[in-house]
Amino acid sequence: MSNYQRNSQSKLVYSTDVGRVKEEVTKPEVVGDGNVRVRPEKKGRGGKMVTVISGLPMAGNDLKAFAKQLKKRSGGGGAVKDGNIELQGDHVDIMVDHLKKEGFDAKRSGG
């Protein structure tokens, strides 16, 4: 393994005074605050409805894996953006019920 390779949880740091490369391991930050909100959103999406889930106390690969599970549950596509899960289509009620079964205190917000 060369000195310039790194894993997903480390940050490459170069020190000029000694000329060596060393890795600093950082913990992924949890984005959500635990107040899980599920809302429908249409603005800026060409009139298409999207279900946005915010406040999940997860980050990184855990959030992506959970988003994959939710996409499978809703039967559609989606993405993880800025710590929020965006699912294609209006699945607010289905997601609130599913998140409550998973142990989250999920609430509907917005329209």
Side-chain angles (χ1 to χ4, degrees), residues 19-82:
R20 292 186 182 183
V21 177
K22 57 185 174 180
E23 290 189 42
E24 235 178 64
V25 177
T26 58
K27 290 184 179 179
E29 294 182 23
V30 175
V31 179
D33 56 0
N35 294 326
V36 181
R37 302 282 184 219
V38 183
R39 69 181 183 276
E41 201 171 274
K42 191 188 277 190
K43 187 175 182 180
R45 302 179 192 279
K48 308 241 172 148
M49 187 65 73
V50 174
T51 301
V52 180
I53 302 169
S54 60
L56 286 168
M58 300 178 191
N61 292 334
D62 292 336
L63 188 62
K64 289 180 184 178
F66 193 66
K68 185 175 181 179
Q69 177 187 352
L70 295 179
K71 288 189 288 187
K72 193 177 225 183
R73 175 81 173 127
S74 68
V80 175
K81 294 183 181 175
D82 300 326

Coordinates of all heavy atoms in Angstrom, one line a residue, residues 19-82:
G19 N 8.6 16.0 5.5 CA 8.5 15.4 4.2 C 7.8 14.0 4.2 O 8.1 13.3 3.2
R20 N 7.0 13.7 5.1 CA 6.3 12.4 5.2 C 4.8 12.6 5.0 O 4.3 13.7 5.4 CB 6.6 11.7 6.5 CG 8.0 11.2 6.6 CD 8.2 10.4 7.8 NE 9.6 10.0 7.9 CZ 10.1 9.2 8.8 NH1 9.2 8.7 9.7 NH2 11.3 8.9 8.9
V21 N 4.2 11.6 4.6 CA 2.7 11.6 4.5 C 2.2 10.8 5.6 O 2.6 9.6 5.8 CB 2.3 11.1 3.1 CG1 0.8 11.0 3.0 CG2 2.8 11.9 2.0
K22 N 1.3 11.3 6.3 CA 0.6 10.5 7.4 C -0.9 10.7 7.3 O -1.4 11.6 6.7 CB 1.1 10.9 8.8 CG 0.9 12.4 9.1 CD 1.5 12.8 10.4 CE 1.4 14.3 10.6 NZ 2.0 14.7 11.9
E23 N -1.6 9.6 7.8 CA -3.0 9.6 7.7 C -3.6 10.0 9.1 O -3.1 9.5 10.1 CB -3.5 8.3 7.3 CG -3.2 8.0 5.8 CD -3.9 6.7 5.3 OE1 -5.1 6.6 5.7 OE2 -3.3 6.0 4.6
E24 N -4.7 10.8 9.0 CA -5.4 11.1 10.2 C -6.8 10.5 10.1 O -7.5 10.7 9.2 CB -5.6 12.6 10.3 CG -5.1 13.3 11.5 CD -5.3 14.8 11.4 OE1 -6.4 15.3 11.3 OE2 -4.3 15.5 11.4
V25 N -7.1 9.6 11.1 CA -8.4 9.0 11.0 C -9.4 9.9 11.7 O -9.2 10.3 12.8 CB -8.4 7.6 11.7 CG1 -9.7 6.9 11.8 CG2 -7.3 6.7 11.1
T26 N -10.6 10.1 11.0 CA -11.6 10.9 11.5 C -12.9 10.1 11.6 O -13.1 9.3 10.7 CB -11.9 12.2 10.6 OG1 -12.2 11.8 9.3 CG2 -10.6 13.1 10.6
K27 N -13.7 10.4 12.6 CA -15.0 9.7 12.7 C -16.0 10.4 11.8 O -16.0 11.7 11.7 CB -15.5 9.8 14.1 CG -14.7 9.0 15.1 CD -15.4 9.0 16.4 CE -14.6 8.2 17.4 NZ -15.2 8.3 18.8
P28 N -16.9 9.7 11.1 CA -17.9 10.3 10.3 C -18.9 11.0 11.2 O -19.2 10.5 12.3 CB -18.6 9.2 9.6 CG -18.3 7.9 10.4 CD -17.0 8.2 11.1
E29 N -19.3 12.2 10.8 CA -20.2 13.0 11.6 C -21.6 12.6 11.4 O -22.0 12.3 10.3 CB -20.0 14.5 11.3 CG -18.7 15.1 11.6 CD -18.6 16.5 11.3 OE1 -19.6 17.2 11.3 OE2 -17.4 17.0 11.2
V30 N -22.4 12.5 12.5 CA -23.8 12.2 12.3 C -24.5 13.5 12.0 O -24.3 14.5 12.6 CB -24.3 11.7 13.7 CG1 -25.8 11.5 13.6 CG2 -23.6 10.4 14.0
V31 N -25.2 13.5 10.9 CA -25.9 14.7 10.4 C -27.2 15.0 11.1 O -27.4 16.1 11.4 CB -26.1 14.5 8.8 CG1 -26.8 15.8 8.3 CG2 -24.8 14.3 8.1
G32 N -28.0 14.0 11.3 CA -29.3 14.2 11.8 C -29.3 14.4 13.3 O -28.4 14.1 14.0
D33 N -30.4 15.1 13.8 CA -30.5 15.4 15.2 C -31.4 14.4 16.0 O -31.7 14.5 17.1 CB -31.0 16.8 15.4 CG -32.3 17.1 14.7 OD1 -32.8 16.2 14.1 OD2 -32.8 18.2 14.8
G34 N -32.0 13.4 15.2 CA -32.9 12.5 15.9 C -34.4 12.8 15.7 O -35.2 12.0 16.0
N35 N -34.7 14.1 15.4 CA -36.0 14.5 15.1 C -36.3 14.2 13.6 O -36.1 15.0 12.7 CB -36.2 16.0 15.3 CG -36.1 16.3 16.8 OD1 -36.4 15.5 17.7 ND2 -35.5 17.5 17.1
V36 N -36.9 13.0 13.4 CA -37.1 12.5 12.0 C -38.3 13.1 11.5 O -39.4 13.0 12.0 CB -37.2 11.0 12.0 CG1 -37.4 10.5 10.6 CG2 -35.9 10.4 12.6
R37 N -38.2 13.8 10.4 CA -39.3 14.5 9.7 C -39.5 13.9 8.3 O -38.5 13.8 7.6 CB -39.1 16.0 9.6 CG -38.9 16.7 10.9 CD -40.2 16.8 11.6 NE -40.0 17.6 12.9 CZ -40.7 17.3 14.0 NH1 -41.5 16.3 14.0 NH2 -40.5 18.0 15.0
V38 N -40.7 13.7 7.9 CA -41.0 13.2 6.5 C -41.9 14.2 5.9 O -43.0 14.5 6.4 CB -41.6 11.8 6.6 CG1 -41.9 11.2 5.2 CG2 -40.8 10.8 7.4
R39 N -41.5 14.7 4.7 CA -42.3 15.7 4.1 C -42.4 15.5 2.6 O -41.4 15.1 2.0 CB -41.8 17.1 4.4 CG -40.5 17.5 3.8 CD -40.0 18.9 4.2 NE -38.8 19.2 3.6 CZ -37.6 18.9 4.0 NH1 -37.5 18.2 5.1 NH2 -36.5 19.2 3.3
P40 N -43.5 15.9 2.0 CA -43.5 15.9 0.5 C -42.9 17.2 0.0 O -43.1 18.3 0.6 CB -45.0 15.8 0.2 CG -45.7 16.4 1.4 CD -44.8 16.2 2.6
E41 N -42.3 17.2 -1.1 CA -41.7 18.4 -1.7 C -41.9 18.3 -3.2 O -41.6 17.3 -3.9 CB -40.2 18.4 -1.3 CG -39.6 19.8 -1.4 CD -38.2 19.8 -0.8 OE1 -38.1 19.9 0.4 OE2 -37.3 19.6 -1.6
K42 N -42.3 19.5 -3.8 CA -42.4 19.6 -5.2 C -41.6 20.7 -5.8 O -41.3 20.7 -7.0 CB -43.9 19.8 -5.5 CG -44.3 19.6 -7.0 CD -45.7 20.0 -7.3 CE -46.7 18.8 -6.9 NZ -48.0 19.1 -7.4
K43 N -41.3 21.7 -5.0 CA -40.6 22.9 -5.5 C -39.3 22.6 -6.1 O -38.4 21.9 -5.6 CB -40.4 23.8 -4.3 CG -39.9 25.2 -4.6 CD -39.9 26.0 -3.4 CE -39.5 27.4 -3.7 NZ -39.4 28.3 -2.5
G44 N -39.1 23.2 -7.3 CA -37.8 23.1 -8.0 C -37.5 21.7 -8.6 O -36.4 21.4 -8.9
R45 N -38.5 20.9 -8.8 CA -38.3 19.6 -9.3 C -39.2 19.3 -10.5 O -39.6 18.2 -10.8 CB -38.7 18.5 -8.2 CG -37.8 18.7 -7.0 CD -38.1 17.7 -5.9 NE -37.5 18.1 -4.7 CZ -36.3 17.8 -4.4 NH1 -35.5 17.2 -5.2 NH2 -35.8 18.2 -3.2
G46 N -39.5 20.4 -11.2 CA -40.3 20.2 -12.5 C -41.7 19.7 -12.3 O -42.3 19.0 -13.1
G47 N -42.3 19.9 -11.1 CA -43.7 19.5 -10.8 C -43.8 18.1 -10.3 O -44.8 17.6 -10.0
K48 N -42.6 17.4 -10.2 CA -42.7 16.0 -9.7 C -42.6 16.0 -8.1 O -41.9 16.8 -7.5 CB -41.5 15.2 -10.2 CG -41.3 15.3 -11.7 CD -41.4 14.0 -12.4 CE -41.5 14.2 -13.9 NZ -40.9 13.2 -14.6
M49 N -43.3 15.1 -7.6 CA -43.4 14.9 -6.1 C -42.2 14.1 -5.6 O -41.9 13.1 -6.2 CB -44.7 14.3 -5.7 CG -44.9 14.3 -4.2 SD -45.1 15.9 -3.5 CE -46.7 16.4 -4.0
V50 N -41.6 14.5 -4.5 CA -40.5 13.8 -3.9 C -40.8 13.8 -2.4 O -41.3 14.7 -1.8 CB -39.2 14.5 -4.1 CG1 -38.0 13.9 -3.4 CG2 -38.8 14.6 -5.6
T51 N -40.5 12.6 -1.7 CA -40.6 12.5 -0.3 C -39.2 12.7 0.3 O -38.3 12.0 0.0 CB -41.1 11.1 0.1 OG1 -42.4 10.9 -0.6 CG2 -41.3 10.9 1.6
V52 N -39.1 13.7 1.2 CA -37.8 14.0 1.8 C -37.9 13.6 3.3 O -38.8 13.9 4.0 CB -37.5 15.5 1.7 CG1 -36.2 15.8 2.4 CG2 -37.5 16.0 0.3
I53 N -36.9 12.8 3.7 CA -36.7 12.3 5.1 C -35.5 12.9 5.7 O -34.4 12.7 5.2 CB -36.6 10.8 5.1 CG1 -37.8 10.1 4.5 CG2 -36.5 10.3 6.6 CD1 -37.7 8.6 4.2
S54 N -35.7 13.7 6.7 CA -34.5 14.4 7.3 C -34.5 14.1 8.8 O -35.4 13.7 9.4 CB -34.7 16.0 7.1 OG -35.9 16.4 7.7
G55 N -33.3 14.4 9.4 CA -33.1 14.2 10.8 C -32.7 12.8 11.3 O -32.7 12.6 12.5
L56 N -32.4 11.9 10.3 CA -32.0 10.6 10.8 C -30.6 10.6 11.4 O -29.7 11.3 10.9 CB -32.0 9.6 9.6 CG -33.3 9.2 9.0 CD1 -33.2 8.5 7.7 CD2 -34.0 8.3 10.0
P57 N -30.5 10.0 12.6 CA -29.2 10.0 13.3 C -28.2 9.0 12.7 O -27.7 8.1 13.3 CB -29.6 9.7 14.7 CG -30.7 8.8 14.6 CD -31.5 9.3 13.4
M58 N -27.9 9.2 11.4 CA -26.9 8.4 10.7 C -26.1 9.2 9.8 O -26.4 10.4 9.5 CB -27.7 7.3 9.8 CG -28.6 6.4 10.5 SD -29.4 5.4 9.3 CE -30.6 4.6 10.3
A59 N -25.0 8.6 9.3 CA -24.2 9.3 8.3 C -23.5 8.3 7.4 O -23.4 7.1 7.7 CB -23.1 10.2 9.1
G60 N -22.9 8.8 6.3 CA -22.1 8.0 5.4 C -22.8 6.8 4.9 O -23.9 6.8 4.4
N61 N -22.1 5.6 5.0 CA -22.6 4.4 4.4 C -23.8 3.8 5.1 O -24.6 3.2 4.5 CB -21.5 3.3 4.4 CG -20.4 3.7 3.4 OD1 -20.6 4.4 2.5 ND2 -19.2 3.2 3.7
D62 N -24.0 4.1 6.4 CA -25.2 3.7 7.1 C -26.4 4.4 6.5 O -27.4 3.7 6.3 CB -25.1 4.0 8.6 CG -24.0 3.2 9.3 OD1 -23.7 2.1 8.8 OD2 -23.5 3.7 10.4
L63 N -26.3 5.6 6.3 CA -27.4 6.4 5.7 C -27.7 5.9 4.3 O -28.9 5.7 3.9 CB -27.1 7.9 5.7 CG -28.2 8.8 5.3 CD1 -29.4 8.7 6.3 CD2 -27.8 10.3 5.3
K64 N -26.7 5.6 3.5 CA -26.9 5.1 2.1 C -27.6 3.7 2.2 O -28.5 3.4 1.3 CB -25.6 5.1 1.4 CG -25.1 6.4 1.0 CD -23.8 6.3 0.3 CE -23.2 7.7 0.0 NZ -21.9 7.7 -0.7
A65 N -27.2 2.9 3.1 CA -27.7 1.5 3.2 C -29.2 1.6 3.6 O -30.1 0.9 3.1 CB -27.0 0.7 4.2
F66 N -29.5 2.5 4.5 CA -30.9 2.7 5.0 C -31.7 3.3 3.9 O -32.9 2.9 3.7 CB -30.9 3.6 6.2 CG -32.2 3.6 6.9 CD1 -32.7 2.4 7.6 CD2 -33.0 4.7 7.0 CE1 -33.9 2.4 8.2 CE2 -34.3 4.7 7.6 CZ -34.7 3.5 8.2
A67 N -31.2 4.2 3.1 CA -31.9 4.8 1.9 C -32.2 3.7 0.9 O -33.3 3.7 0.4 CB -31.0 5.9 1.3
K68 N -31.3 2.8 0.7 CA -31.5 1.7 -0.2 C -32.7 0.8 0.3 O -33.6 0.4 -0.5 CB -30.3 0.8 -0.3 CG -30.4 -0.3 -1.3 CD -29.1 -1.0 -1.5 CE -29.2 -2.1 -2.5 NZ -27.9 -2.8 -2.7
Q69 N -32.8 0.6 1.6 CA -33.9 -0.2 2.2 C -35.2 0.6 2.0 O -36.2 0.0 1.6 CB -33.6 -0.4 3.7 CG -34.7 -1.1 4.4 CD -34.5 -1.2 5.9 OE1 -33.4 -0.8 6.4 NE2 -35.5 -1.6 6.6
L70 N -35.2 1.9 2.2 CA -36.4 2.7 2.0 C -36.9 2.7 0.5 O -38.1 2.7 0.2 CB -36.2 4.1 2.6 CG -36.0 4.2 4.1 CD1 -35.8 5.6 4.5 CD2 -37.2 3.5 4.8
K71 N -35.9 2.8 -0.4 CA -36.2 2.8 -1.8 C -36.9 1.5 -2.2 O -37.8 1.5 -3.0 CB -35.0 3.1 -2.7 CG -34.4 4.5 -2.6 CD -33.3 4.7 -3.6 CE -32.1 4.1 -3.2 NZ -30.9 4.4 -4.1
K72 N -36.4 0.4 -1.7 CA -37.0 -0.9 -2.0 C -38.4 -0.9 -1.4 O -39.3 -1.5 -2.1 CB -36.1 -2.0 -1.3 CG -36.4 -3.3 -1.8 CD -35.5 -4.3 -1.1 CE -34.9 -5.3 -2.1 NZ -34.1 -6.3 -1.6
R73 N -38.6 -0.4 -0.2 CA -39.9 -0.4 0.4 C -40.9 0.4 -0.4 O -42.1 0.1 -0.5 CB -39.8 0.2 1.8 CG -41.1 0.3 2.6 CD -41.5 -1.0 3.2 NE -42.7 -0.7 4.0 CZ -43.9 -1.4 3.9 NH1 -44.0 -2.3 3.0 NH2 -44.9 -1.1 4.6
S74 N -40.5 1.6 -0.9 CA -41.4 2.5 -1.7 C -41.5 2.0 -3.1 O -42.5 2.4 -3.8 CB -40.9 3.9 -1.6 OG -39.7 4.0 -2.4
G75 N -40.6 1.2 -3.6 CA -40.7 0.7 -5.0 C -40.3 1.7 -6.0 O -40.8 1.7 -7.2
G76 N -39.4 2.6 -5.6 CA -39.0 3.7 -6.5 C -37.6 4.0 -6.4 O -36.8 3.3 -5.6
G77 N -37.1 5.1 -7.0 CA -35.8 5.5 -6.9 C -35.6 6.6 -5.8 O -36.5 6.9 -5.1
G78 N -34.4 7.0 -5.7 CA -34.1 8.1 -4.7 C -32.7 8.3 -4.6 O -31.8 7.8 -5.3
A79 N -32.3 9.2 -3.7 CA -30.9 9.6 -3.5 C -30.7 10.1 -2.0 O -31.7 10.5 -1.3 CB -30.5 10.7 -4.5
V80 N -29.4 10.2 -1.6 CA -29.1 10.8 -0.4 C -28.4 12.1 -0.7 O -27.4 12.2 -1.4 CB -28.1 9.9 0.4 CG1 -27.7 10.6 1.7 CG2 -28.8 8.6 0.8
K81 N -28.9 13.3 -0.2 CA -28.4 14.6 -0.5 C -28.4 15.4 0.8 O -29.4 15.5 1.5 CB -29.2 15.3 -1.5 CG -29.2 14.7 -2.9 CD -30.0 15.6 -3.9 CE -29.9 15.0 -5.3 NZ -30.8 15.7 -6.2
D82 N -27.2 15.9 1.1 CA -27.0 16.7 2.3 C -27.6 16.1 3.6 O -28.2 16.8 4.4 CB -27.7 18.1 2.1 CG -27.1 18.9 0.9 OD1 -25.9 18.7 0.7 OD2 -27.9 19.6 0.3

